[in-house]
Structures are given as structure tokens and as C-alpha cells.
Amino acid sequence: MAAPSGAAICEDFAEFQELLRVMRTIDDRIVHELNTTIPTASFVGKVDPGQTCKELYESLMDAHTKRERIIKDCISQTSAVVKTLKEEREKAHEDAALLKQLRKEQTKLKLMQSELNVEEVVNDRSWKVFNERCRIHYKPPKSQ
């Protein structure tokens, strides 16, 4: 899936979460993918498990990198909004609407930061399954 870029995805947290959910499909289906593409001993000659594991590795790396970039970009954008609202709040202490907007943005920022933790768990699970099934067929570069 091509990820939408820009601030639009970061403004609506529900849309942000939906994008991440869709982008995590590869991680959600990794067990199925490995079961259907990595052959059992009786089918070893029909499929190249090394190539299959390499392609899956590259897909996982790409998906994880894109999701992390989107999350961090949204955290950065929302942090900037919170900073701006705090500065405005310093000037207008009695503005209730401004305070409400600031609290809303702070909550959204915390939720986005928690997505980094979710991302770490999702990635760890995927790499664990990948390594269990592919370690004898493919050795990824040492960067992971």
C-alpha cells in the first residue's frame, strides 16, 4: 500500500491508526505467508526457500522502515503543533478553547508515541517468526 504523505494523515488519529493497521498486514500474515511459501521436506525441490526468505526479508524491512518513518514524522508534526499551542497559551492564559485544543493535541501526541511501542512489539514478533522459519534458508545482512 502506498502511504499517504504529509500532515493530513497526522491530523486525524483514527486515520493514522487505520493507515498503520493496513500497513501492518504483512506482519499479521507472516505465519501464513511462511507456511504457504517455505516448503516442507517433501516439497523442497519445487521452491527456492532461500529466495523466498530473501524476498520476505526485504518486504518486512521495507514495511517496518515506512511505518517507523510515518510514526516519527507524525510525532514530530504533532510536537510542533503542541509547542505552538503552548506558546500561544503563554500569551492568552484565559483562552479556554486554546487550552482545550492544547489538551487534545497533547493526548494525540501521547497516543502517537505509544504507537512506537506497538510498532516495536509487532516488529519483534515478525522477526521472531521469520528467524524461526528462515534461519536455515537465508542469512540477512548484519544491519538487523
Side-chain angles (χ1 to χ4, degrees), residues 85-98:
L85 289 171
K86 280 183 178 180
E87 290 168 357
E88 289 177 22
R89 177 84 175 125
E90 292 295 318
K91 297 172 190 166
H93 294 291
E94 304 300 319
D95 191 342
L98 186 61

Side-chain angles (χ1 to χ4, degrees), residues 33-55 133-134 137:
E33 182 76 20
L34 287 167
N35 286 342
T36 58
T37 58
I38 304 300
T40 58
S42 60
F43 291 101
V44 148
K46 297 181 172 96
V47 176
D48 179 7
Q51 183 62 30
T52 302
C53 286
K54 181 179 186 222
E55 290 169 3
R133 293 294 303 276
C134 284
H137 303 294

Side-chain angles (χ1 to χ4, degrees), residues 16-29:
F16 170 78
Q17 276 192 310
E18 178 64 15
L19 174 66
L20 292 178
R21 186 190 65 74
V22 170
M23 291 179 75
R24 287 180 176 140
T25 301
I26 187 173
D27 294 272
D28 295 339
R29 296 188 178 154

